[in-house]
């Protein structure tokens, strides 16, 4: 067992079995909201091949397909064997390990054009602060793609931080304080509202950065979602992913808290 794996286990304080069944992320999509919900703890949604013919049955196997549980069919896949994350298990917890070299998933284009509001939620453990790593990015590059988003861990080279950015026709990034040195487990919640011009980043239930200086105009776009690497070519994430939800709608405060508690439990934390 490597040292990073032991570090992840050190954060485990709550068994997933004790999480209340009262809340399910499926409820986030009942009104037809666009988005995706990925749950590495549900092995029935994971396959070793991109075609979905070889089920994941145990830890330490490659994952070539991660099915979307939102009901929208936005499955994430990886056709190249060497670029597939590995499913790991520790103390009843399940998570995907991204190697920080070339591991990533990508979806087909997800059409968020009906919404100018977005929420993204992730349970992550970043294992390095050496270089910027992309946890998730809607489009191949937010810098040139209107109607997109990005979540990073860390937010830059030699930076003990996280960040989330949203873009209408103008990009705004919210970056955490430099107080989250790797290895660090974080439940990241971020929301962007193009119409209101607002952006916000929460870590482990607390708002760490927010702004209302404007995101330009328009709605979110029709882009692929990349998980673990920018455009499948640069800025690879080195760390663990225990859950990811992307939702093209406003999410109220009580529901955000429920999402955070669920992801915390799946990441081995109490919140």
């Amino acid at each position: 067992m490597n040292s990073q794996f032991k570090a992840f286990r050190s954060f485990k304080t709550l068994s997933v079995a004790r999480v209340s069944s009262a809340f399910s992320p499926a409820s986030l999509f009942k009104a037809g909201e666009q988005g995706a919900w990925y749950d590495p703890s549900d092995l029935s949604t994971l396959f070793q091949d991109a075609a979905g013919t070889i089920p994941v049955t145990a830890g330490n196997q490659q994952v070539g397909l991660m099915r979307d549980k939102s009901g929208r069919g936005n499955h994430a896949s990886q056709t190249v064997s060497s670029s597939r994350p590995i499913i790991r298990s520790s103390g009843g917890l399940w998570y995907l390990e991204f190697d920080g070299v070339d591991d990533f998933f990508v979806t087909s284009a997800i059409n968020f054009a009906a919404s100018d509001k977005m929420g993204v939620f992730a349970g992550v453990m970043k294992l390095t602060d050496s270089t910027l790593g992309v946890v998730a990015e809607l489009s191949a590059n937010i810098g040139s793609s209107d109607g997109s988003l990005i979540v990073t861990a860390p937010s830059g080279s030699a930076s003990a931080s996280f960040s989330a950015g949203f873009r209408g026709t103008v990009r705004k990034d919210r970056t955490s304080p430099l107080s989250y040195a790797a290895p660090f487990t974080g439940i990241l919640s971020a929301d962007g509202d193009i119409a209101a011009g607002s952006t916000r980043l929460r870590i482990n239930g607390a708002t760490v950065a927010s702004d209302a200086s404007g995101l330009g105009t328009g709605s979110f776009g029709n882009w692929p979602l990349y998980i673990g690497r920018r455009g499948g070519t640069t800025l690879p994430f080195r760390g663990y992913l225990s859950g990811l939800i992307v939702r093209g709608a406003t999410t109220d405060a009580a529901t955000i808290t429920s999402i955070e508690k669920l992801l915390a439990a799946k990441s081995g934390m109490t919140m």
Side-chain angles (χ1 to χ4, degrees), residues 50-164:
T53 62
I54 307 172
V56 166
T57 57
N60 306 320
Q61 295 177 350
Q62 288 186 336
V63 179
L65 175 66
M66 181 166 56
R67 292 196 179 277
D68 169 24
K69 296 176 67 172
S70 74
R72 299 293 167 264
N74 295 314
H75 310 309
S77 64
Q78 175 52 259
T79 59
V80 179
S81 178
S82 62
S83 294
R84 291 171 181 162
I86 305 296
I87 187 70
R88 305 291 192 191
S89 177
S90 173
L93 304 173
W94 293 87
Y95 58 95
L96 290 165
E97 180 177 1
F98 291 79
D99 65 4
V101 178
D102 60 1
D103 290 355
F104 74 98
F105 292 118
V106 64
T107 70
S108 297
I110 304 175
N111 191 353
F112 286 103
S115 180
D116 60 7
K117 297 165 179 57
M118 184 74 70
V120 56
F121 311 89
V124 304
M125 182 177 184
K126 64 184 175 80
L127 295 176
T128 179
D129 289 325
S130 61
T131 58
L132 190 155
V134 171
V135 176
E137 188 166 18
L138 184 65
S139 81
N141 190 328
I142 189 175
S144 56
S145 303
D146 289 352
S148 53
L149 68 85
I150 187 171
V151 176
T152 68
S155 65
S157 298
S159 179
S161 58
F162 295 91
S163 74

Side-chain angles (χ1 to χ4, degrees), residues 6-14 93 125 183-185 264 267-270:
K6 291 178 182 177
F8 180 84
R9 291 195 66 179
S10 71
F11 282 88
K12 189 177 76 65
T13 57
L14 179 66
L93 304 173
M125 182 177 184
F184 186 89
T185 301
S267 301
M269 300 172 62
T270 300

Side-chain angles (χ1 to χ4, degrees), residues 20-52:
S20 171
S21 61
F23 173 77
S24 169
S27 64
L28 301 172
F29 306 95
K30 284 186 175 179
E33 296 90 342
Q34 182 60 280
W37 166 28
Y38 305 107
D39 179 8
S41 72
D42 184 352
L43 295 193
S44 71
T45 68
L46 306 181
F47 295 83
Q48 297 180 58
D49 62 323

Side-chain angles (χ1 to χ4, degrees), residues 8-9 18 25 52 54 70 75 134 152-153 164 166-167 189 191 204-205 214 220 234 236 242 258 267 270:
F8 180 84
R9 291 195 66 179
R18 291 172 56 193
I54 307 172
S70 74
H75 310 309
V134 171
T152 68
F166 297 88
R167 177 176 178 140
S189 299
D191 50 76
N204 294 343
F220 287 94
T234 61
S242 56
S258 294
S267 301
T270 300

